[in-house]
Amino acid sequence: MGEDEDKWHNVSDEDEQPHLPSFQPKRAPGPQLISTATYSPLQLFQLFFSISVVTSIVDNTNRYAAKRKKAGAKFAWTPLTVTEFYAFVALIIHMGLVNLKTLADYWSQKQGYRLGFPRSVMSKARFFAISWCLHLCDPEGDEENNKKKGTQHHDELYKIKPLYTDILTACRAFFHLRRELSIDEMMVPSKAWSGLKQYMKDKPNKLDYK
């Protein structure tokens, strides 16, 4: 480091234009979609939640539900399908747009509630059953990974695979970054137990995902 770089600067020092690295992308920056094609909202969603990944999630959820039933858990269960999974995700998106105090309120018949959409998609019991059994990764592989906790072979992200890797691939495939980027961070609240959570005392949500 030179002497000029190591000293304090003041208002009398002239600003220097920083050197911009070479930016020569192989593809035009922006969305990587067919410009002449028309996409439905579901088709755009499926770019990131592909049929292959959703099928894997459905299979893993059914296997985990069977495992819970065998262990003695008492709840009604019929095999989850790909179509029903997309309906389940639609309900979650709806709940993010219509904010109620509890999940049960979306099926409530009390005055001031009576939302038609959730009841038209699936029953409250079915929604909760899917929520209890939803499993993104292979249940047997998850058990083996849990046995490795505390060692260098434990994978902290195993529970969200294969969705995690598929979304990363989709982000690289369907959008090309521009040179000028603005990067920020936030704390995402979650009640999940995970070694990935961080504690930051000056944040409103002090112990969450960064």
Side-chain angles (χ1 to χ4, degrees), residues 10-83:
N10 55 47
V11 294
S12 64
D13 294 325
E14 293 186 6
D15 292 332
E16 295 183 4
Q17 181 69 27
H19 172 71
L20 292 178
S22 176
F23 184 72
Q24 298 175 335
K26 295 181 180 179
R27 296 175 291 170
Q32 303 298 301
L33 301 174
I34 301 173
S35 59
T36 57
T38 301
Y39 297 88
S40 69
L42 178 59
Q43 288 173 321
L44 291 174
F45 182 79
Q46 287 175 336
L47 295 178
F48 299 90
F49 277 69
S50 65
I51 291 293
S52 61
V53 166
V54 168
T55 300
S56 176
I57 293 173
V58 167
D59 290 342
N60 290 333
T61 299
N62 285 326
R63 292 167 64 188
Y64 185 66
K67 181 179 176 181
R68 291 195 65 190
K69 294 283 283 186
K70 187 177 180 179
K74 299 185 182 300
F75 59 92
W77 182 258
T78 55
L80 180 65
T81 65
V82 169
T83 300

